[in-house]
Amino acid sequence: LTPRPSRASMACAIVSALATARAPAGMRPRTRCTPRARPIRPPNPVSFGAPRAPSTIVNNRRELPALARAAGGDGDEALDETLDVDAVMKEITDTSQLGQRDEAFFVGQMVLVLLVAFPPFHVDLGDDAKFGDPLFGLATIALAAVLLVQGSKNLGNSLTPFPKPRADNKLKTGGAYAVVRHPMYSGLIFGCFGVALLTGDPTRTLFTMALAALLNAKAAREEDYLSEMHGADVYGKYATEVPRLIPRIDGMKAVVQDFADGFEQKE
């Protein structure tokens, strides 16, 4: 036996049939349909701007691109070469080229350094005048030590005390020479100035100013030789990016780090 439908189900069926029959032509009751799945579009590529071109600014780990190498210059692997002390002493004591290497600059430099160390007189500015700062003097001497050590270390066998470079000179643009063109001259100036501040002696400051003027002239003469040896365009590009005697602050951190690493390796 088939069970009889309930009155409620029968009423629902009758109402649905009447609604369909009374609907106008072309109209039918709405039915729900499953919404279409929208296609997933790949995300647009995010652009962070055009890639930066390689920097041409000299720093402690990069040299001027192609410039130093074009002139037979150094690379990072050429830094910190072992200094041949005998060759340097032979260069100093060689009298066959006397007068051809501008030795007068070196003689004047040594005289002024001795005058700073042992001033023959002292200028008295009075009891009320306070000149110098011991702490700042010590800091300046420490900076001078870093420049002197790293400068001689990075220059290697191209080292000479005279303005005229050696015949086998290589253009150095890395290490300390990335922050200042003449780090050893800068070291001498800062060292003498630090001694003047440490002792509070204005006489030493006067001799230091004279030394700075002499070393600036010596550096200019040396750069004339370097431009002739390596090309005016090569050295001119280097000179436009690296100061002569005042170190670039943004590169000194790496120079100090190299200085500290050198002591750690010795230990």
Side-chain angles (χ1 to χ4, degrees):
L1 295 175
T2 303
R4 296 178 62 181
S6 64
R7 293 180 180 181
S9 61
M10 291 178 63
C12 289
I14 294 171
V15 171
S16 177
L18 291 174
T20 304
R22 291 180 181 180
M27 298 287 291
R28 290 292 183 270
R30 293 183 180 180
T31 57
R32 292 185 179 180
C33 59
T34 305
R36 293 183 181 179
R38 295 185 179 181
I40 300 176
R41 296 181 180 179
N44 295 329
V46 180
S47 175
F48 292 97
R52 295 182 180 179
S55 173
T56 59
I57 298 178
V58 180
N59 60 33
N60 302 84
R61 299 298 180 189
R62 296 193 299 262
E63 356 170 23
L64 290 169
L67 287 178
R69 286 187 288 271
D74 68 326
D76 289 339
E77 68 278 0
L79 291 177
D80 303 347
E81 59 182 333
T82 303
L83 177 63
D84 188 349
V85 180
D86 294 335
V88 175
M89 295 305 298
K90 184 179 179 180
E91 175 82 7
I92 296 175
T93 57
D94 184 11
T95 58
S96 62
Q97 299 182 12
L98 189 63
Q100 302 177 19
R101 298 169 297 181
D102 297 311
E103 293 91 346
F105 284 103
F106 175 65
V107 174
Q109 167 187 323
M110 296 306 299
V111 169
L112 287 172
V113 169
L114 289 174
L115 289 175
V116 172
F118 309 103
F121 59 89
H122 296 277
V123 177
D124 188 6
L125 299 179
D127 297 336
D128 296 335
K130 183 180 179 181
F131 185 85
D133 186 333
L135 292 179
F136 189 62
L138 287 173
T140 308
I141 293 174
L143 173 62
V146 172
L147 291 172
L148 286 168
V149 171
Q150 291 302 115
S152 59
K153 188 178 179 182
N154 298 151
L155 189 58
N157 289 321
S158 296
L159 178 65
T160 177
F162 308 121
K164 186 175 182 179
R166 294 168 58 173
D168 58 349
N169 169 269
K170 294 180 180 179
L171 180 59
K172 300 292 182 174
T173 60
Y177 292 85
V179 297
V180 62
R181 301 202 298 271
H182 304 275
M184 287 185 287
Y185 297 169
S186 297
L188 283 175
I189 295 172
F190 280 111
C192 292
F193 185 59
V195 171
L197 291 175
L198 182 64
T199 59
D201 189 353
T203 307
R204 287 189 168 96
T205 303
L206 293 176
F207 288 129
T208 300
M209 293 172 63
L211 176 65
L214 176 69
L215 290 178
N216 184 63
K218 181 182 180 182
R221 182 62 179 139
E222 182 177 336
E223 290 174 358
D224 291 339
Y225 287 119
L226 291 171
S227 296
E228 293 176 4
M229 293 183 66
H230 303 292
D233 55 341
V234 173
Y235 195 83
K237 176 65 174 176
Y238 170 59
T240 57
E241 299 196 7
V242 180
R244 176 182 287 175
L245 293 175
I246 301 177
R248 287 170 42 189
I249 299 177
D250 59 341
M252 279 304 302
K253 181 179 179 180
V255 177
V256 173
Q257 184 62 49
D258 291 342
F259 178 79
D261 292 343
F263 277 98
E264 290 180 0
Q265 293 175 1
K266 290 181 180 180
E267 295 177 358

